[in-house]
DNA sequence: TATTGTTATACTCTATAACTATA
DNA sequence: TATAGTTATAGAGTATAACAATA
């Protein structure tokens, strides 16, 4: 990682490596957070809505485990989603303890809108590279991402960095 | 951006672009947060300590503006840093309203430790690429970072994504 | 007895504004 | 009157645990 001063200097020197990673990360992360800010729960809400929309209807617990959220959080988020008419809770005929969370047309529409926004954020972030280098960067990132998500979890100095199970801004 | 299901599928397909960016971002962001978690203020604390260590002593307000934090936050963080003996507050002879924040040896040592950890996180994240592709990715990221930090701010769907003035994990 | 979902509680961050002391 | 720093208050977000209904 770099220092603040190095970062400032880097505009002239461009020497530090970690600084680049961090800067891009933060730029994208912020913009992505921002893009989904008007959805209840922000980026976590986006992950949940995504999972809800693209999987066949599941219980809240299943959703929670799938996107790595606590049960209680999912309750709150689904409450908000229902209030915003993005999803509905439908009784599960076989297990009356659980709800099946189902996306509405409004929810699907909203999700597409958010996905479009996030695509735009990406393009914006990667704009400085040309078309070709942009593709190159994406390819390299994809390789990292695949092994990060599918292979070994990223080992770090503390234990809670688990294997990432999915996408989500920031 | 991608969907959860696509993300899962991507382990086989590797098709989605935004998913890669997001996954790497999150993996690194989490690990970096984690690496500095034991510092008061986490990533923000790191940024502040960095700035304090590598600049000549400055007032809290100057530091706040430099790293993009609120004055009050800096007060809290410096309090914590002082308690942890990472910095000292020294009276400014020319303006008795202000403090000069000065890093201690302990603080400098701690900072180096954190920087080492963050370097390790980077290496870990980029390990899947070989040495060469890793360098390639870093070069591309650096180009993006330079224009992000030095050039135009990243345009997004909302207004608060400002020009990034420095580094900092996550 | 275990599990799904809900509710209640508390805790951490952060942001805002009021306050003091100096300039 | 304006500025540097501090303190107080409140709010959002999150985590934990207790609870009700069902299996």
């Amino acid at each position: 990682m770099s220092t603040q001063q190095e970062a400032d200097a880097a505009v002239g020197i461009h020497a530090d490596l970690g600084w680049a990673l961090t800067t891009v990360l933060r730029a994208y992360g912020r913009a992505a957070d921002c893009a989904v800010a008007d959805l209840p729960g922000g980026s976590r809400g986006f992950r949940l809505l995504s999972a809800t929309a693209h999987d066949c209807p599941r219980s809240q617990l299943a959703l929670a485990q799938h996107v790595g959220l606590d049960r209680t959080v999912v309750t709150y988020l689904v409450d908000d989603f229902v209030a915003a008419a993005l999803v509905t809770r439908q009784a599960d005929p076989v297990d009356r303890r659980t709800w099946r969370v189902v996306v509405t047309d409004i929810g699907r529409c909203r999700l597409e809108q958010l996905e479009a926004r996030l695509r735009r954020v990406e393009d914006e972030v990667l704009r400085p590279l040309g078309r070709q280098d942009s593709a190159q960067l994406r390819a390299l990132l994809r390789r990292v991402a695949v092994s990060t998500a599918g292979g070994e979890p990223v080992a770090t100095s503390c234990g809670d960095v688990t294997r990432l199970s999915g996408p989500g801004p920031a």
Side-chain angles (χ1 to χ4, degrees), chain A residues 108-147:
Chain A
R108 224 171 267 281
C109 177
R110 180 70 165 281
L111 185 60
E112 278 166 24
Q113 177 198 36
L114 293 171
E115 286 168 347
R117 277 195 210 164
L118 288 168
R119 271 192 299 272
R120 229 178 302 135
V121 167
E122 283 168 41
D123 291 342
E124 208 60 49
V125 169
L126 266 51
R127 175 186 304 254
L129 306 178
R131 198 169 276 277
Q132 208 156 15
D133 288 344
S134 182
Q136 171 79 2
L137 175 56
R138 295 182 114 122
L140 289 169
L141 280 174
R142 191 158 52 236
R143 277 175 55 198
V144 177
V146 167
S147 46

Side-chain angles (χ1 to χ4, degrees), chain A residues 38-92:
Chain A
D38 58 343
L39 185 74
S43 62
R44 304 205 307 181
F46 174 79
R47 262 162 43 210
L48 181 62
L49 188 59
S50 246
T52 307
H54 295 274
D55 298 338
C56 49
R58 293 208 257 178
S59 72
Q60 294 185 186
L61 184 61
L63 285 170
Q65 289 168 342
H66 189 60
V67 299
L69 296 175
D70 191 82
R71 292 180 304 166
T72 63
V73 175
V74 171
T75 297
Y76 293 135
L77 288 177
V78 171
D79 283 350
D80 292 341
F81 287 171
V82 169
L86 302 177
V87 305
T88 58
R89 277 195 251 242
Q90 299 181 3
D92 185 325

